[in-house]
């Protein structure tokens, strides 16, 4: 009898090919790209059956910790463990860390490793595939889930399946990088090739043994980072220096392509890694002209296009096969056949230090979020939303004064020791240098307009005296 499976969600990616919606500060796994819930939430809900799965472990970028915790709280995920990576080192160190944690609590633990940003519309079919892989994993095999291809896709890696291994699993004979079209057509015709889903069911003990054999530096760095980890509120913060000593390498290259224990379980659930905008076009509800429209869109004489607005109206006339995505601060227009190259645009923006390469206009904080509305010489205007129960740090500014106007909810305000409760259409002035704090004591979001004025308006002009979220 196999104990409960330990679900592990990898949430360290940036999703740059889905720019401008997905950015490093708020990547695709934190967005509701194909429904009302975010991709992270959908991934967590797929493994919510308490009879089969234990509490989830999320290995994530430290910058996203509060958003991840809040999204998991929203769906009622029981006792999630969130492990914070101090730097990006690819998936092998993340898997090593998760395996070490799982084995510490259960010597024969099985871990189910899942990227946070994959789309699987049929959760029961996914769970059925996982159950199918348990027999091989419990016998010490490193199980990959191979997706039955339905087209000669050139954007995926492939797995060539060999002889039967254990149960429904087949031994892995080869991994193949993204092939050209003619090669992919041959793979599809042969019936022995599967798309590599990047989802693994691994015996923790076995994957640690293989890491020790094929990637000892990864294992040593992960073990040291975990042994020297600190607790940050409800998060496990891996030691930065120890973790940085690990090579940056995927679990595929570090272990799966070298081990003799790899096997593949053919899976028939619908799957996409949502690696580019055309994936959402393929999976979306297309109209009679082959268009997928999300948000405020008007399309005339338009065919085969993906049109998505997160703010301004998109209007098209006489165009074909385009990707058009509009956010409050950026617009992407691309040939649908070239959407894999969106990353080139992001790289160019980074090279010029353009804010839109990594940051959205809406900036998320543990207490809520703010959004810049207007900026000029010596002033700027922001909209601030504070979640129920949220509160900003006790702080002061050296270079700016602030004026807050409440437009919804009630604000609890402290200014130089004076406490006030202000409601809608009321305001408060924060002089330069005053110690102040803002909180939301209510059950509804607090929304206010902040007007800043001063010689310097940068976000680093904050001196914190106390913070509920343990930020330095």
């Amino acid at each position: 009898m196999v104990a409960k499976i330990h679900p592990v969600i990898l949430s360290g990616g940036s999703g740059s090919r889905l720019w401008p919606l997905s950015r490093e500060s708020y990547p695709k796994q934190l967005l509701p790209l194909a429904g009302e819930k975010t991709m992270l939430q959908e991934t967590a809900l797929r493994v919510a059956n308490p009879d089969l799965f234990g509490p989830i472990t999320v290995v994530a970028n430290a910058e996203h910790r509060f958003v991840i915790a809040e999204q998991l709280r929203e769906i009622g995920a029981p006792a999630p463990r969130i492990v914070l990576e101090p730097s990006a080192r690819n998936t092998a160190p993340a898997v090593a860390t998760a395996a070490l944690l799982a084995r510490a609590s259960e010597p024969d633990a099985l871990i189910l490793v899942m990227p946070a940003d994959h789309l699987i519309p049929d959760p029961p079919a996914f769970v059925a595939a996982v159950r199918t892989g348990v027999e091989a994993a419990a016998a010490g095999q490193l199980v990959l889930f191979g997706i039955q291809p339905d087209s000669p896709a050139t954007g995926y890696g492939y797995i060539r399946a060999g002889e039967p291994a254990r149960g429904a699993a087949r031994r892995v004979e080869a991994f193949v990088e993204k092939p050209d079209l003619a090669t992919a057509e041959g793979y599809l015709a042969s019936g022995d090739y599967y798309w590599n889903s990047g989802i693994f069911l691994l015996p923790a003990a076995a994957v640690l043994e293989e890491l020790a054999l094929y990637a000892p530096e990864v294992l040593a760095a992960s073990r040291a980072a975990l042994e020297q980890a600190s607790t940050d509120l409800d998060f496990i913060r891996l030691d930065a220096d120890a973790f940085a000593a690990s090579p940056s390498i995927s679990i595929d290259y570090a272990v799966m392509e070298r081990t003799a224990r790899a096997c593949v379980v053919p899976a028939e659930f619908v799957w996409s890694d949502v690696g580019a905008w055309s994936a959402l076009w393929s999976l979306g509800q297309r109209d009679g002209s082959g268009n997928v429209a999300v948000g405020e869109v008007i399309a005339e004489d338009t065919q085969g296009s993906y049109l998505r607005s997160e703010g301004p109206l998109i209007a098209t006339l006489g165009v074909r096969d385009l990707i058009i995505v509009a956010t409050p601060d950026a617009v992407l227009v691309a040939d649908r056949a070239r959407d894999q190259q969106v990353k080139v645009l992001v790289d160019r923006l980074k090279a010029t230090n353009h804010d839109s390469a990594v940051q959205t206009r809406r900036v998320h904080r543990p207490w809520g979020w703010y959004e810049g509305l207007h900026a000029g010489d010596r002033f700027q205007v922001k909209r601030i939303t504070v979640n129920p129960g949220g509160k900003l740090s006790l702080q002061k500014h050296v270079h700016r004064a602030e004026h807050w106007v409440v437009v919804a909810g009630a604000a609890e305000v402290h200014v130089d020791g004076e406490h006030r409760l202000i409601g809608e259409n009321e305001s408060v002035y924060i002089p330069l240098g005053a110690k102040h704090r803002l909180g939301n004591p209510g059950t509804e979001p607090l929304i206010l307009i902040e007007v800043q004025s001063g010689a310097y308006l940068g976000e680093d002009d904050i001196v914190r005296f106390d913070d509920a979220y343990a930020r330095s």
Side-chain angles (χ1 to χ4, degrees):
M1 178 68 180
V2 176
K4 292 181 181 179
I5 296 169
H6 298 243
V8 177
I9 300 177
L10 305 183
S11 183
S14 62
S16 59
R17 289 181 180 84
L18 291 179
W19 185 89
L21 197 56
S22 173
R23 309 188 198 181
E24 284 184 18
S25 67
Y26 211 76
K28 65 177 180 176
Q29 62 266 29
L30 305 179
L31 298 169
L33 289 180
E36 295 183 358
K37 294 183 175 60
T38 70
M39 302 188 80
L40 171 71
Q41 290 174 324
E42 295 284 7
T43 304
L45 289 170
R46 283 196 287 274
V47 290
N49 182 349
D51 295 329
L52 182 60
F53 302 106
I56 62 173
T57 294
V58 181
V59 184
N61 184 325
E63 295 301 314
H64 304 149
R65 62 194 185 280
F66 294 110
V67 175
I68 288 172
E70 175 61 19
Q71 290 193 1
L72 295 178
R73 185 200 63 78
E74 288 176 356
I75 60 171
R81 177 165 53 191
I82 302 176
V83 181
L84 305 180
E85 292 183 308
S87 57
R89 308 307 292 159
N90 217 309
T91 58
V95 172
T97 302
L100 288 166
L101 284 167
R103 196 181 185 198
S105 62
E106 183 186 335
D108 296 326
L110 300 183
I111 61 172
L112 177 64
V113 179
M114 304 167 289
D117 54 2
H118 287 187
L119 183 62
I120 300 174
D122 188 353
F126 171 76
V127 172
V130 172
R131 290 184 185 275
T132 301
V134 166
E135 181 181 349
Q141 300 295 306
L142 308 185
V143 176
L144 302 92
F145 293 92
I147 306 301
Q148 184 73 51
D150 58 10
S151 65
T154 58
Y156 296 142
Y158 284 71
I159 302 167
R160 186 169 80 228
E163 296 298 316
R166 188 75 176 248
R170 298 171 64 182
R171 297 195 180 280
V172 172
E173 287 195 354
F175 290 85
V176 184
E177 290 298 322
K178 299 174 182 178
D180 59 31
L181 180 59
T183 303
E185 289 173 341
Y187 291 167
L188 184 65
S190 78
D192 288 329
Y193 287 81
Y194 299 87
W195 291 334
N196 186 350
S197 70
I199 301 171
F200 309 91
L201 184 61
L202 308 171
V207 75
L208 291 173
E209 289 172 2
E210 299 302 271
L211 281 163
L213 181 61
Y214 296 112
E217 293 179 345
V218 170
L219 181 58
S222 301
R223 181 176 279 118
L226 190 56
E227 289 173 349
Q228 300 169 41
S230 59
T231 301
D232 178 354
L233 298 178
D234 294 329
F235 308 108
I236 298 173
R237 188 182 288 275
L238 298 175
D239 181 78
D241 291 339
F243 196 75
S246 172
S248 180
I249 187 171
S250 70
I251 191 64
D252 301 76
Y253 288 138
V255 171
M256 301 306 296
E257 296 190 10
R258 305 172 72 184
T259 180
R261 300 191 190 190
C263 64
V264 57
V265 168
E268 297 184 358
F269 53 80
V270 175
W271 165 90
S272 172
D273 67 354
V274 196
W277 286 113
S278 58
L280 289 173
W281 174 81
S282 298
L283 295 166
Q285 292 290 330
R286 294 193 287 275
D287 63 18
S289 298
N291 302 312
V292 173
V294 180
E296 192 172 9
V297 172
I298 180 170
E300 181 70 24
D301 189 22
T302 298
Q303 296 179 0
S305 297
Y306 183 85
L307 312 169
R308 184 179 189 122
S309 173
E310 299 289 325
L313 167 70
I314 291 176
T316 62
L317 175 64
V319 298
R320 304 287 185 273
D321 301 327
L322 291 183
I323 302 291
I324 303 178
V325 180
T327 68
D329 66 332
V331 178
L332 169 71
V333 181
D335 186 319
R336 205 185 76 223
R338 298 185 61 183
D339 64 342
Q340 289 284 343
Q341 297 172 270
V342 169
K343 188 176 183 296
V344 174
L345 299 178
V346 177
D347 290 341
R348 287 188 61 181
L349 289 169
K350 284 183 178 179
T352 61
N353 295 316
H354 201 288
D355 287 345
S356 67
V358 298
Q359 181 64 60
T360 60
R361 179 173 289 182
R362 180 172 293 188
V363 179
H364 292 263
R365 292 290 185 258
W367 42 261
W369 55 269
Y370 70 84
E371 183 175 6
L373 301 179
H374 186 64
D377 184 28
R378 294 179 60 88
F379 79 93
Q380 66 178 345
V381 182
K382 293 180 177 179
R383 169 182 168 167
I384 297 176
T385 297
V386 184
N387 297 327
K391 59 182 178 180
L392 282 66
S393 59
L394 179 63
Q395 60 185 251
K396 73 173 183 179
H397 307 298
V398 178
H399 301 288
R400 72 173 183 256
E402 296 173 339
H403 197 114
W404 295 337
V405 181
V406 175
V407 296
E412 188 174 26
V413 178
H414 297 262
V415 182
D416 278 340
E418 180 184 350
H419 171 265
R420 293 178 59 187
L421 190 67
I422 60 174
E424 293 182 16
N425 298 318
E426 294 183 319
S427 64
V428 63
Y429 174 65
I430 315 296
L432 184 151
K435 247 189 214 188
H436 61 282
R437 174 172 243 160
L438 170 69
N440 179 3
T443 58
E444 298 296 327
L446 162 65
I447 302 174
L448 54 88
I449 300 300
E450 176 183 84
V451 180
Q452 301 177 354
S453 60
Y456 177 71
L457 306 174
E459 283 302 309
D460 55 348
D461 180 23
I462 296 177
V463 179
R464 286 194 175 97
F465 300 96
D466 180 65
D467 185 58
Y469 310 103
R471 295 171 295 174
S472 59

